[in-house]
Amino acid sequence: MDNLFVVVQEFKDYQFKENKEDALRDLEDLVKTLPWTDPLKVWELNNSLKKKKTKRKKHPLQSSASKEKLADGGEEEGTDQKDAGRQEDCAQHAAGGEPAGGRDTEETGGVAPRDGEEEDDEGSDAKGELQAGSGSEATAGDGPTGKEAAKVLKFRVTCNRAGDKHSFTSNEAARDFGGAVQEHFQWKADMTNFDVEVLLNIHNNEVVVGIALTEESLHRRNITHFGPTTLRSTLAYGMLRLCDPQPTDIIVDPMCGTGAIPIEGAAEWPSCYHIAGDNNPQAVKRAANNICSLLKKNESKESSTSLGIPLDIIQWDICNLPLRTGSVDIIVTDMPFGKRIGSKKKNWDLYPACLTEMGRICTPGTGRAVLLTQDKKCFAKALSRMGHIWRKAQTVWVNVGGLHAAVYLLKRTWETAEEKRSFW
């Protein structure tokens, strides 16, 4: 899961007018009919819980006298919500979704810049956001109550649009829909320092209106140094979970890139031992920096007793790994797509060699591998040649930056793999 939001209302078959002005006017009129009350209560509850968590972290050594002052109605230190991170992903980019055609790619003035995607982004959705004038206080009964209603709430509208039959762009939809939201609630529009982010997801004739509960996408967690094809942390977690790691398992990512998979594994499965490697020295350096960042993050946690993380990284050749035969329980890796890294032509030789070497180091009978690739034709051919070593157990289709890719779960057979020269 990259982002979490509460659905205000979902329309499975929304009929858009062919004329742009009429279609946008319908979106404006829609704002007044939506059931905002309960979703905004959910947003308010989620926001109050986040603030309580922030207070605990900010004042761990608060004196009893100070606590009594607060209990008696004394003033608290300000806990204004920090600037929310930019929403990265739309509902149709969830795992298993196929890329849709006719993506909106226009941008106009006033649209806030997005954090750059580190993956292949061919066919990815563009996002329109509203930037409008200021309003006054929130409308009683519609917006959040209590302390939140005492101040003028700031908001922005983010529109994710996919499909080739719309007469409007995502920016136009965000602008007009956001203007109606502002008029309805009398909120103030702010692209960066917003309190509420309203989401307008349009996928062909399906429309979902929601309110964001997460401040920033979870897909960048634990990663500080990015490369040209850095895998999303959320997808890395899903791949690891697919192979069901058990305590004491040795998990290897032989083509780790910047280390998204092993770092996610070390953070979520600390009872396993993780080994990461890559043939690119720059990638190894970035992965090492990411590991250092994770160590610092663990050290900064309150009452942390962490002595490190069970992860080592090394520069190596994927076709000649310095690991004993049959010594690895699980292999999880993001294979080169042949776009930004390598080429489709090279994959025809690389994939069979990789599967052969992975089969050698993986434990016969119980070993498993989870491999991600967009070059499905080449992978299928390589797997057919390695059928005596690997058996395909499951295929999960995923959307990687707009590319239709697949995650393959492979089981190691009992067949003896080809021996390599000894490293020991």
Side-chain angles (χ1 to χ4, degrees):
M1 180 178 65
D2 286 340
N3 296 283
L4 185 66
F5 64 93
V6 56
V7 176
V8 176
Q9 193 164 350
E10 181 178 9
F11 302 90
K12 291 290 187 181
D13 188 23
Y14 188 92
Q15 296 301 315
F16 290 100
K17 300 284 179 60
E18 292 185 7
N19 181 274
K20 181 167 74 171
E21 287 72 20
D22 292 340
L24 292 174
R25 191 178 300 111
D26 284 349
L27 287 177
E28 291 181 35
D29 295 339
L30 183 64
V31 171
K32 301 173 185 177
T33 65
L34 293 174
W36 294 99
T37 305
D38 287 342
L40 283 169
K41 286 180 180 177
V42 175
W43 172 86
E44 183 185 7
L45 176 62
N46 178 69
N47 210 41
S48 64
L49 291 173
K50 285 193 294 186
K51 285 191 173 183
K52 287 179 181 178
K53 186 177 180 180
T54 303
K55 288 178 188 176
R56 285 199 298 270
K57 287 184 177 180
K58 193 171 183 180
H59 309 292
L61 302 176
Q62 190 178 35
S63 66
S64 58
S66 176
K67 291 178 182 177
E68 289 174 8
K69 180 180 177 182
L70 292 175
D72 292 335
E75 292 185 359
E76 287 185 68
E77 288 191 28
T79 55
D80 289 342
Q81 187 179 7
K82 68 178 182 178
D83 294 353
R86 293 173 171 80
Q87 193 80 1
E88 287 289 332
D89 300 294
C90 59
Q92 55 267 41
H93 269 206
E98 294 190 22
R103 307 287 186 177
D104 184 11
T105 57
E106 291 189 29
E107 291 190 3
T108 60
V111 177
R114 288 296 189 177
D115 292 330
E117 286 288 347
E118 301 298 335
E119 303 160 317
D120 287 343
D121 55 1
E122 297 176 16
S124 61
D125 292 344
K127 302 179 181 182
E129 297 169 356
L130 160 79
Q131 185 171 24
S134 61
S136 56
E137 295 185 0
T139 304
D142 287 328
T145 59
K147 291 182 180 179
E148 287 298 336
K151 68 174 184 177
V152 178
L153 285 179
K154 301 175 183 178
F155 84 105
R156 82 173 181 188
V157 170
T158 301
C159 177
N160 306 287
R161 188 192 68 83
D164 55 3
K165 295 182 179 180
H166 303 128
S167 59
F168 53 86
T169 67
S170 59
N171 292 312
E172 290 169 337
R175 179 196 65 205
D176 289 27
F177 188 83
V181 170
Q182 183 183 28
E183 184 178 346
H184 184 65
F185 290 109
Q186 294 299 300
W187 290 342
K188 179 180 179 180
D190 194 314
M191 296 296 294
T192 54
N193 302 316
F194 53 86
D195 302 302
V196 184
E197 180 169 32
V198 179
L199 305 175
L200 178 61
N201 293 332
I202 302 172
H203 185 268
N204 292 321
N205 284 340
E206 183 179 345
V207 176
V208 179
V209 180
I211 298 175
L213 299 180
T214 44
E215 294 179 351
E216 57 185 3
S217 177
L218 301 176
H219 82 264
R220 290 171 177 265
R221 63 172 181 254
N222 301 327
I223 299 295
T224 55
H225 295 73
F226 293 85
T229 58
T230 298
L231 191 68
R232 308 172 86 81
S233 296
T234 45
L235 182 53
Y237 172 82
M239 291 172 63
L240 284 156
R241 188 176 177 183
L242 192 62
C243 59
D244 190 25
Q246 300 298 313
T248 73
D249 275 353
I250 296 176
I251 304 176
V252 172
D253 182 354
M255 294 177 279
C256 70
T258 50
I261 292 174
I263 287 174
E264 196 68 21
E268 300 295 333
W269 287 272
S271 58
C272 299
Y273 181 61
H274 305 264
I275 305 174
D278 202 283
N279 68 338
N280 187 327
Q282 185 62 34
V284 173
K285 183 178 179 180
R286 287 183 181 132
N289 288 332
N290 283 324
I291 293 171
C292 290
S293 297
L294 183 60
L295 283 169
K296 291 178 181 177
K297 179 181 175 182
N298 290 344
E299 290 171 1
S300 65
K301 289 181 180 178
E302 292 180 24
S303 65
S304 175
T305 57
S306 175
L307 299 177
I309 54 176
L311 169 59
D312 279 325
I313 183 161
I314 185 173
Q315 183 179 344
W316 59 26
D317 176 9
I318 174 60
C319 299
N320 204 19
L321 299 173
L323 297 170
R324 297 188 189 205
T325 299
S327 63
V328 174
D329 298 292
I330 296 172
I331 297 171
V332 186
T333 196
D334 174 14
M335 302 186 75
F337 287 10
K339 289 182 175 290
R340 294 190 180 181
I341 300 294
S343 67
K344 298 273 188 181
K345 184 177 180 181
K346 290 181 179 179
N347 283 350
W348 287 98
D349 293 325
L350 177 64
Y351 278 23
C354 289
L355 289 175
T356 300
E357 184 66 350
M358 290 176 188
R360 182 189 68 81
I361 65 172
C362 205
T363 308
T366 59
R368 53 251 190 233
V370 174
L371 310 177
L372 167 68
T373 180
Q374 189 260 342
D375 196 349
K376 299 178 285 292
K377 183 179 179 181
C378 181
F379 185 86
K381 182 69 174 179
L383 188 61
S384 67
R385 292 171 56 183
M386 298 293 124
H388 61 292
I389 297 177
W390 293 109
R391 178 176 56 84
K392 184 170 71 174
Q394 188 177 353
T395 304
V396 180
W397 304 106
V398 294
N399 187 321
V400 181
L403 297 174
H404 188 211
V407 174
Y408 298 94
L409 172 61
L410 308 181
K411 297 292 183 70
R412 179 69 169 84
T413 67
W414 287 99
E415 188 76 18
T416 302
E418 179 184 348
E419 287 286 345
K420 295 276 186 179
R421 66 180 179 86
S422 175
F423 288 92
W424 307 93

